[in-house]
Amino acid sequence: MSLIETIACVVIVGTLATSMVGMMRGSARVTAISMGHEGVSAQGRKALRFVSGRLRDISNSGQSITSVRSSDVVVSDGLNTRRIRFEVRRAPDGVNRSLVMVDPLLGETVCLESSVRSFAMNEIVVDGRLAGIQLSMQLQASADRAAELRPDHRTAELTTVLCLSPQL
């Protein structure tokens, strides 16, 4: 009789533990969504922060950004110039699109996977000098991901401005 009671007790405790873990995971996910840490806008903010950081590192490393076009940045170290391209490419699934930074010196870096619709950069010129870069991005969640998100987290249009240190 005690063996059967022990097995029943283990089954009951296991069932309760399993449901508690599922409930806690769901609660953590709802919290992340409500705080804006999930969805395409959160992904876009991370990507823009990453791209801005990379461009700021280039500007602060003794190299100068000489010009910006819609998806290219021309960098000069005084002797050599190189063009860093930002491309929107088909993701490995063949449906969605990713933002890829192509630097001839450092190779390719994926900045954001699977939700990019468009990416553009514009120069901010003050007194004839390049003072900053405006980065704009449009995002749309993939079909499988969109079903999990609230409607306002499925698409996003983001813009940020990167201020460059003065080039002397």
Side-chain angles (χ1 to χ4, degrees), residues 50-61 63-77 80-89 99-111 119-123 133 135 162 164:
F50 175 77
V51 171
S52 296
R54 285 290 177 102
L55 294 175
R56 188 174 291 114
D57 290 345
I58 289 169
S59 177
N60 292 338
S61 69
Q63 302 174 7
S64 62
I65 297 176
T66 58
S67 69
V68 177
R69 294 188 186 94
S70 65
S71 61
D72 292 350
V73 175
V74 178
V75 177
S76 174
D77 63 2
N80 301 314
T81 61
R82 72 179 198 267
R83 174 171 278 135
I84 299 172
R85 289 187 332 267
F86 290 89
E87 300 175 356
V88 177
R89 293 185 185 166
L99 178 64
V100 179
M101 180 175 72
V102 181
D103 187 341
L105 191 62
L106 302 174
E108 294 184 358
T109 304
V110 177
C111 302
F119 178 77
M121 296 183 296
N122 295 314
E123 290 182 338
I133 303 171
L135 306 166
L162 168 65
L164 300 173

Side-chain angles (χ1 to χ4, degrees), residues 36-58:
H37 297 297
E38 196 165 310
V40 293
S41 58
Q43 291 176 336
R45 283 192 301 271
K46 287 179 190 175
L48 287 175
R49 204 174 304 122
F50 175 77
V51 171
S52 296
R54 285 290 177 102
L55 294 175
R56 188 174 291 114
D57 290 345
I58 289 169

